[in-house]
Amino acid sequence: MQEKIICFLIDDDDDDQEIFALALDTIDPDITCITANDGIEALNKLNIDSDFIPDFIFLDLNMVRMNGRECLTEIRKLPRLKKTPVIIYSTSSEQKDITETKSLGANDYIVKPPSISELVKRLEQVLRGRIQTI
């Protein structure tokens, strides 16, 4: 029996959430996509539900109430999430953002692509290691 993959997307843009969920569904309909609308909502969920350990966390950088850098810093303080990959999912392609977020503990960085097919390809690359170990 295959273990279900849980992806946690933290992004304040409803359209981006919908496109991301659609891309995951294209890869594998059994992947669960849970969303939070900003860093504060995400941290509340992660702190309140200690059993919630997603397989992957995808984090937007540019959010209003708490930006992605602040959220990433707080996520990395949670011992039970030390091994959970955090992937930045942002419109920014600035090298300084990539370098800074990796120094804060991000495992990977995805620039939001212009098409869903490109997003599917990039997500498959990120998820491949996890899927092969199941």
Side-chain angles (χ1 to χ4, degrees):
M1 180 160 154
Q2 181 168 322
E3 184 181 329
K4 286 210 175 201
I5 293 175
I6 298 172
C7 293
F8 188 32
L9 173 64
I10 306 163
D11 194 321
D12 60 354
D13 185 300
D14 290 341
D15 290 338
D16 285 346
Q17 287 182 11
E18 189 175 327
I19 290 165
F20 190 90
L22 184 60
L24 287 177
D25 192 57
T26 300
I27 294 166
D28 183 344
D30 289 332
I31 296 174
T32 300
C33 183
I34 296 169
T35 59
N37 293 313
D38 60 45
I40 292 172
E41 183 183 322
L43 290 171
N44 284 340
K45 176 155 188 55
L46 290 166
N47 285 317
I48 290 170
D49 185 355
S50 61
D51 292 332
F52 179 50
I53 303 175
D55 296 293
F56 295 91
I57 297 173
F58 293 87
L59 176 60
D60 185 22
L61 279 185
N62 302 310
M63 297 181 289
V64 178
R65 292 198 315 161
M66 173 186 275
N67 71 41
R69 286 171 191 79
E70 295 166 328
C71 186
L72 175 59
T73 300
E74 294 305 309
I75 288 170
R76 285 301 179 214
K77 290 179 184 176
L78 299 171
R80 75 179 196 283
L81 298 177
K82 288 284 185 218
K83 293 183 178 180
T84 302
V86 178
I87 297 94
I88 302 301
Y89 179 61
S90 177
T91 54
S92 171
S93 60
E94 296 289 325
Q95 186 59 47
K96 69 175 181 58
D97 290 332
I98 297 168
T99 303
E100 182 182 2
T101 54
K102 287 194 175 181
S103 74
L104 292 172
N107 299 85
D108 203 346
Y109 195 105
I110 297 175
V111 177
K112 292 180 181 178
S115 73
I116 192 160
S117 62
E118 287 180 48
L119 178 58
V120 166
K121 285 179 194 170
R122 188 64 178 94
L123 288 175
E124 283 176 328
Q125 292 171 346
V126 170
L127 300 174
R128 186 173 299 128
R130 172 80 173 115
I131 292 169
Q132 287 177 348
T133 61
I134 295 175

